[in-house]
């Protein structure tokens, strides 16, 4: 991973000035280059421009792309010439022509490395393979003044670039981002726009999540119902939602990405996360196929039937079309979150298990993957799958994409599999920036400590995942940016040596002074660095009534509200930080950006009770992924929705809930109620029992308990309210609620479920 570039002799001697870029006069490059030295003076880019490109096909192509960009953005005439033409005809140059040389004549081991040198008379970008030249062009563009990214901005007659020498290469070869177009659909232009933005930060993989329970988005000629039926769902409000890509559109996107140095890795989910396909072709399920394409999120029990030969015929045909559409050597087959109960209850699956001598149902998944891998190998493709593929035995050579934790990275590489790391802890950009702040992304190291050099070499790189349950084109930028820039730097730049706080501060400065304004100029609306897009805080107004303060962390967002439980229309009243809601209001707040509703609606009711605004001590605090709106969420007087992602609930994963509230004085207390959630498909269960301890002095405690029974098979998503009668005098109220074990037939069986809570109501 850390081999040095082999420099061409005599080139850039003494250039390797490593370390964070200190002076304010330094260009604001993201990702930080391996080495950079800024000199005296500037190069001026003005009309006409001559790009001198060496003859390799890729260099010629990059020259064409750069020429187009200069023509389009600057309005200059651009001539692309070969070095020979320049040699024989040099009088055309010299006087008043801006020269950019692109050459592919170095001997560097890393095909993506490049050297960029700017002198007052010429810009030169050199690489070894043609691929590095493209990344050098991205750097060159960032060296131009920020106005260059403002399509509506002025068009000066001359643009200046500082004199600089840069040598650069990526730390990892797989620098990607997952775009989930299945939960919500993204039109072709949105996909291509993201490809452009990825390329700008030298990210080279678009992981295109094309199929899911909630929608199949890729046209397959042999199975038209996949998109006729599987691409469409009926939303809870009765509307139809969906979309898909034709094969021509796919070819266009793949070619668009290729030109921009981005590989497209398609993901076709199997054997789970496949409800939409099973609705289209019910014969692919073991029994009882789902009737409608789901319109709710989570993990579904319906999966492709491993016991049916026609399933493998189907997948062989689908993957053959996929292999033809996507030139990339990798095909992602999903493999995550597969409940095995349909296979357990299916006679032909169990017979297959016997026949093959497989020890358990997990091993059936291993069998499934081996069969699918035969198709991929036939087409010269390598399988990529989520970390669960290790559980039933992954085909040799399969790449494991880790999502659960860094321990899984270690496990995978130690069992000899190459790894792409995208753990929830650092790379889940569908989590709010409050739960996954920019600094946390920046602290990501895809390589776990203490790996042998051989194991380390198996870490190919990483990805930032944009699962789209709560992401549409309207809020995509808010979630992706600026976090994807932190990831781009982690995956490209050399590991920052020494002080990591200083390294982050340096990154943040380059972001604030350089890339954030430039992104905005390009029409991108980046989200907050470390807070929710919408911030709710609850206080008390002069009359003692609850006051809810609603703020948006992003300029340009207008928050609108209703008080009757309906979704606010674009002309509903805007909420200011002084708006008060009264107990009983059924508030729905909805942010709008450029007139478009963001899928970040929050609904809550305001509830006044004895513990409201009372200090609450949590032992231990909630999981970092679900911190709630504030540390005092359990006594803020806000009862949220059934959605666990509405930001109002706190969630516990590794610990049970144990909260103590101070009412401020001894008061008569009739009952204590815990407001909690149930969402089995998202691994969230209500507790089996809630225990309440009350005390007047903090020393003598009285215990009360209520139990909660959950009907088996009840997968409804809802709020669960557990009331514990008390009838006594108390100042301190302690509530404990242990997490409930996930049921035996649940994909997470063996672990306790999440426990979510948003309020402890004391009356
Ligand atoms: C888990 S990560 C999933 C996805 C969800 C995501 C939401 C993975 C392989 N599976 O299906 O969209 O969580 O954060």
């Amino acid at each position: 991973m850390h081999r040095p570039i082999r420099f061409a002799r005599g080139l850039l001697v003494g250039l390797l000035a490593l370390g964070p870029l200190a002076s304010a006069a330094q260009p604001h490059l993201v990702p930080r280059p391996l080495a950079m030295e800024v000199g005296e003076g500037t190069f001026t880019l003005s009309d006409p421009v001559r790009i001198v490109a060496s003859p390799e096909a890729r260099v010629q192509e990059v020259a064409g792309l750069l020429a187009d960009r200069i023509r389009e953005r600057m309005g200059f005439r651009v001539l692309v010439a070969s070095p020979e033409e320049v040699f024989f005809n040099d009088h055309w140059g010299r006087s008043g022509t801006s020269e950019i040389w692109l050459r592919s004549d170095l001997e560097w081991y890393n095909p993506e490395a490049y050297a960029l040198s700017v002198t007052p008379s010429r810009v030169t970008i050199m690489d070894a393979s043609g691929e590095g030249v493209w990344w050098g062009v991205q750097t060159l563009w960032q060296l131009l003044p920020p106005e260059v990214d403002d399509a509506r901005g002025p068009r000066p007659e001359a643009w200046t670039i500082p004199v600089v020498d840069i040598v650069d290469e990526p730390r990892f070869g797989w620098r990607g981002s997952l775009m989930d177009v299945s939960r919500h659909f993204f039109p072709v232009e949105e996909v291509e726009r993201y490809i452009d933005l990825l390329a700008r930060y030298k990210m080279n993989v678009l992981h295109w999540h094309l199929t899911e329970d909630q929608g199949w988005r890729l046209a397959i000629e042999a199975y038209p119902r996949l998109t006729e039926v599987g691409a469409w769902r009926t939303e809870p409000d009765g509307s139809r939602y969906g979309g898909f890509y034709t094969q021509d559109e796919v070819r266009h996107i793949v070619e668009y990405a290729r030109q921009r140095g981005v590989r497209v890795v398609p993901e076709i989910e199997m054997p789970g996360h496949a409800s939409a396909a099973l609705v289209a072709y019910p014969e692919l399920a073991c029994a009882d196929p789902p009737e409608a394409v789901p319109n709710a999120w989570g993990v579904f029990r319906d999966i492709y039937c491993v016991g049916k030969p026609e399933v493998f015929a189907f997948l062989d045909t689908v993957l053959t079309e996929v292999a033809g559409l996507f030139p990339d050597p990798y095909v992602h087959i999903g493999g995550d979150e597969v409940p095995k109960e349909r296979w357990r209850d299916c006679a032909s699956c169990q017979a297959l298990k016997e026949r093959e001598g497989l020890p358990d149902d997990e091993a059936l998944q291993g069998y499934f993957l081996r069969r699918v891998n035969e198709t991929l190998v036939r087409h010269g493709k390598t399988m990529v799958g989520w970390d669960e593929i290790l559980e039933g035995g992954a085909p040799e050579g399969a790449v494991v994409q880790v999502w659960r934790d860094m321990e899984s990275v270690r496990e995978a590489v130690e069992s000899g599999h190459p790894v792409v790391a995208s753990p929830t802890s650092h790379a889940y950009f569908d989590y709010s920036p409050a739960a996954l702040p920019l600094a946390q992304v920046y602290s990501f190291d895809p390589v776990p400590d203490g790996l042998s050099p051989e194991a380390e070499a198996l870490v190919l790189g990483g990805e930032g995942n944009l699962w789209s349950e709560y992401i549409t084109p309207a809020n995509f930028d808010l979630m992706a940016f600026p976090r994807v820039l932190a990831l781009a730097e982690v995956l490209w730049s050399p590991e920052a040596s020494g002080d990591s706080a200083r390294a982050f501060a340096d990154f943040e400065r380059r972001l604030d002074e350089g890339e954030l304004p430039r992104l905005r100029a390009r029409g991108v609306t980046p989200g907050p660095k470390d807070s929710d897009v919408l911030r709710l805080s609850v206080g008390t107004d002069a009359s003692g009534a609850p006051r809810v303060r609603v703020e948006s962390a992003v300029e340009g967002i207008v928050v609108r509200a209703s008080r009757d439980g309906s979704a606010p229309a674009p002309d509903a009243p805007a909420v200011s930080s002084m708006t008060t809601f009264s107990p009983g209001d059924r508030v729905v707040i909805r942010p709008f950006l450029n007139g478009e509703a963001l899928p970040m609606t929050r609904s809550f009711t305001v509830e006044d009770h004895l513990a409201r605004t009372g200090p609450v001590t949590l032992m231990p605090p909630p999981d970092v992924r679900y911190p709630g709106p504030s540390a005092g969420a359990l006594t803020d007087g806000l009862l949220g929705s059934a959605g666990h992602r509405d930001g109002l609930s706190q969630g516990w994963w590794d610990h049970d809930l144990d909260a103590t509230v101070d009412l401020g004085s001894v008061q008569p207390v009739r009952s204590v109620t815990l407001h909690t959630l149930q969402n089995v498909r998202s691994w969230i269960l209500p507790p089996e029992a809630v225990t309440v301890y009350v005390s007047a002095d903090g020393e003598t405690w009285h215990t009360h308990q209520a139990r909660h029974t959950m009907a088996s098979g009840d997968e409804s998503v809802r709020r669960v309210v557990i009331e514990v009668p008390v009838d006594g005098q108390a100042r301190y109220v302690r509530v404990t609620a242990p997490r409930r074990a996930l049921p035996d037939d649940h994909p997470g069986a063996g672990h306790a479920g999440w426990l979510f809570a948003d309020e402890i109501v004391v009356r």
Side-chain angles (χ1 to χ4, degrees):
M1 285 291 114
H2 309 287
R3 284 156 298 182
I5 292 180
R6 229 180 332 124
F7 296 101
R9 189 192 292 271
L11 175 78
L12 305 162
V13 179
L15 175 68
L16 287 164
L18 287 162
L21 315 170
S23 117
Q26 300 274 9
H28 300 110
L29 298 177
V30 176
R32 176 171 53 88
L34 176 67
M36 170 163 83
E37 196 170 275
V38 181
E40 293 286 309
T42 54
F43 166 87
T44 302
L45 190 70
S46 56
D47 182 77
V49 179
R50 182 164 68 177
I51 300 177
V52 185
S54 59
E56 300 79 8
R58 179 61 179 157
V59 177
Q60 291 288 319
E61 184 172 58
V62 170
L65 288 166
L66 177 61
D68 286 346
R69 234 202 255 182
I70 293 173
R71 288 186 194 110
E72 188 189 311
R73 182 58 206 110
M74 298 161 176
F76 298 161
R77 290 166 294 165
V78 187
L79 182 81
V80 179
S82 73
E84 288 73 25
E85 283 170 83
V86 171
F87 185 78
F88 290 112
N89 194 18
D90 209 26
H91 51 272
W92 191 83
R94 296 299 123 214
S95 60
T97 299
S98 300
E99 295 241 325
I100 301 174
W101 286 62
L102 306 180
R103 307 175 8 197
S104 207
D105 52 5
L106 292 175
E107 271 195 33
W108 290 4
Y109 84 91
N110 188 327
E112 294 188 286
Y114 69 93
L116 176 127
S117 129
V118 180
T119 68
S121 59
R122 178 184 284 187
V123 172
T124 310
I125 303 175
M126 288 168 286
D127 78 356
S129 70
E131 218 28 74
V133 158
W134 170 248
W135 302 131
V137 165
Q138 304 317 305
T139 303
L140 175 64
W141 205 257
Q142 278 189 20
L143 290 170
L144 283 157
E147 296 77 48
V148 77
D149 286 307
D150 186 353
R152 291 152 313 185
R155 286 182 164 207
E157 282 180 9
W159 301 79
T160 56
I161 300 175
V163 164
V164 67
D165 269 314
I166 290 171
V167 187
D168 205 5
E169 67 164 349
R171 179 177 170 204
F172 295 103
W174 190 304
R175 305 178 302 278
S177 180
L178 175 149
M179 189 177 199
D180 173 3
V181 295
S182 299
R183 270 63 176 265
H184 284 107
F185 181 66
F186 289 74
V188 173
E189 314 77 69
E190 299 289 337
V191 179
E192 294 185 345
R193 175 176 176 272
Y194 191 45
I195 289 168
D196 271 327
L197 288 161
L198 287 174
R200 180 185 175 99
Y201 301 108
K202 306 186 174 78
M203 296 281 273
N204 65 350
V205 175
L206 176 76
H207 172 171
W208 205 10
H209 189 78
L210 283 163
T211 72
E212 256 303 334
D213 292 305
Q214 298 86 2
W216 182 287
R217 308 277 172 233
L218 172 67
I220 296 293
E221 277 165 12
Y223 293 98
R225 283 175 59 83
L226 285 172
T227 43
E228 283 165 16
V229 173
W232 307 95
R233 63 177 185 249
T234 304
E235 296 289 51
D237 68 2
S239 61
R240 291 289 279 168
Y241 181 89
F244 66 92
Y245 308 97
T246 66
Q247 295 204 349
D248 277 342
E249 287 171 332
V250 169
R251 278 185 281 266
H252 191 274
I253 286 174
V254 167
E255 170 60 11
Y256 188 91
R258 185 199 61 75
Q259 290 179 6
R260 284 151 188 84
V262 176
R263 298 163 30 212
V264 181
V265 177
E267 180 177 354
I268 308 296
E269 273 269 20
M270 63 189 77
H273 284 292
S275 304
L278 300 178
V279 173
Y281 293 98
E283 61 275 22
L284 302 175
C286 292
D288 298 330
E291 272 158 27
V293 177
N295 59 12
W297 319 125
V299 176
F300 293 78
R301 288 161 209 281
D302 299 299
I303 64 177
Y304 292 115
C305 190
V306 68
K308 289 186 169 177
E310 55 267 45
V311 163
F312 296 103
F314 166 84
L315 291 172
D316 184 81
T317 306
V318 168
L319 291 173
T320 298
E321 288 194 30
V322 167
L325 282 169
F326 295 91
D328 202 70
Y330 297 91
V331 173
H332 203 305
I333 53 74
D336 59 311
E337 302 180 322
V338 184
K340 305 288 179 327
E341 65 186 275
R342 298 295 193 222
W343 293 355
R344 187 197 58 204
D345 299 340
C346 141
S348 58
C349 303
Q350 294 304 315
L352 172 72
K353 188 166 86 183
E354 289 292 302
R355 224 167 38 242
E356 294 286 323
L358 301 172
D360 53 25
D361 294 343
E362 288 306 321
L364 273 175
Q365 172 149 333
Y367 169 88
F368 185 99
L369 295 176
R370 277 195 300 283
R371 292 287 306 269
V372 167
N373 197 49
E374 285 165 16
T375 301
L376 295 181
V377 167
R378 206 174 72 236
H379 294 293
K381 303 290 186 186
T382 299
M383 172 184 288
V384 188
W386 297 103
D387 32 352
E388 287 96 325
I389 67 170
L390 287 175
E391 286 163 14
E396 209 187 310
V399 176
V400 176
Q401 179 165 10
V402 168
W403 68 279
R404 288 185 290 199
D405 51 25
M406 289 305 286
E407 232 0 83
S408 313
V409 174
R410 189 187 305 280
E411 252 168 63
V413 294
E414 281 172 0
S415 61
H417 289 278
V419 162
V420 173
S422 59
T424 54
S425 55
H426 295 82
Y428 268 47
F429 300 162
D430 56 325
Y431 293 171
S432 158
L436 177 54
L438 185 66
Q440 169 80 2
V441 179
Y442 196 76
S443 73
F444 180 37
D445 186 348
V447 179
D449 288 337
L451 288 189
S452 68
E454 301 78 59
E456 186 171 328
L458 287 170
V459 180
L460 305 180
E463 290 187 2
N465 297 343
L466 284 145
W467 299 106
S468 66
E469 288 96 331
Y470 305 93
I471 299 181
T472 67
N475 70 337
F476 184 85
D477 290 354
L478 290 170
M479 302 305 283
F481 298 96
R483 290 182 288 189
V484 77
L485 276 72
L487 182 70
E489 181 146 314
V490 163
L491 297 174
W492 177 281
S493 305
E495 269 177 285
S497 53
D499 187 346
S500 58
R502 220 180 105 216
F504 179 67
D506 176 71
F507 168 72
E508 216 180 355
R509 186 185 54 74
R510 280 177 281 127
L511 206 59
D512 292 342
E513 294 171 11
E515 281 309 302
L516 283 180
R518 299 177 78 122
L519 277 170
R520 291 196 183 98
R522 274 185 74 143
V524 173
T525 306
K529 289 177 185 163
D530 54 10
S531 72
D532 288 331
V533 170
L534 284 188
R535 287 186 292 221
L536 298 190
S537 51
V538 193
T540 301
D541 73 7
S543 70
R547 155 176 286 170
V548 182
R549 189 188 280 273
V550 180
E551 285 166 299
S552 164
V554 177
E555 211 182 306
I557 289 186
V558 182
V559 185
R560 302 183 187 279
S562 78
R563 291 163 191 266
D564 61 1
S566 65
D571 59 353
V575 181
S576 82
S577 61
M578 297 309 286
T579 307
T580 49
F581 298 104
S582 319
D585 279 353
R586 289 160 59 220
V587 182
V588 182
I589 56 176
R590 195 180 195 189
F592 288 80
L593 181 60
N594 308 320
E596 251 189 289
L598 306 181
M600 298 171 143
T601 300
R602 298 261 180 99
S603 39
F604 56 86
T605 53
V606 184
E607 184 99 351
D608 207 1
H609 58 90
L610 295 178
R612 195 178 63 77
T613 71
V616 53
T617 314
L618 299 172
M619 294 287 297
D623 191 274
V624 290
R625 286 166 278 178
Y626 294 99
S630 69
L634 293 182
T635 55
D636 62 6
L638 298 193
L639 309 186
S641 66
H644 66 287
R645 303 274 293 245
D646 72 359
L648 290 164
S649 289
Q650 299 182 313
W652 281 264
W653 172 247
D654 284 322
H655 302 277
D656 297 329
L657 180 146
D658 186 344
T660 304
V661 187
D662 180 356
L663 304 181
S665 60
V666 178
Q667 313 200 24
V669 171
R670 254 188 305 121
S671 68
V672 175
T673 311
L674 181 69
H675 287 245
T676 166
L677 298 184
Q678 170 175 324
N679 183 341
V680 179
R681 286 200 193 96
S682 295
W683 303 36
I684 300 166
L685 303 176
E688 276 176 44
V690 176
T691 308
V692 171
Y693 308 82
V694 293
S695 170
D697 55 7
E699 283 174 17
T700 322
W701 296 84
H702 298 280
T703 310
H704 309 268
Q705 198 183 59
R707 303 193 66 81
H708 173 75
T709 323
M710 213 185 113
S712 72
D714 176 3
E715 301 204 332
S716 60
V717 175
R718 51 199 172 90
R719 300 177 56 77
V720 173
V721 177
I722 304 173
E723 180 172 344
V724 185
V726 170
D727 263 330
Q729 297 278 321
R731 170 170 175 183
Y732 302 101
V733 175
R734 177 175 172 210
V735 177
T736 63
R739 293 156 301 150
R740 187 191 289 255
L742 289 160
D744 288 343
D745 57 6
H746 194 276
H751 198 285
W754 280 92
L755 187 109
F756 270 71
D758 70 357
E759 194 77 1
I760 294 171
V761 173
V762 179
R763 295 206 184 283

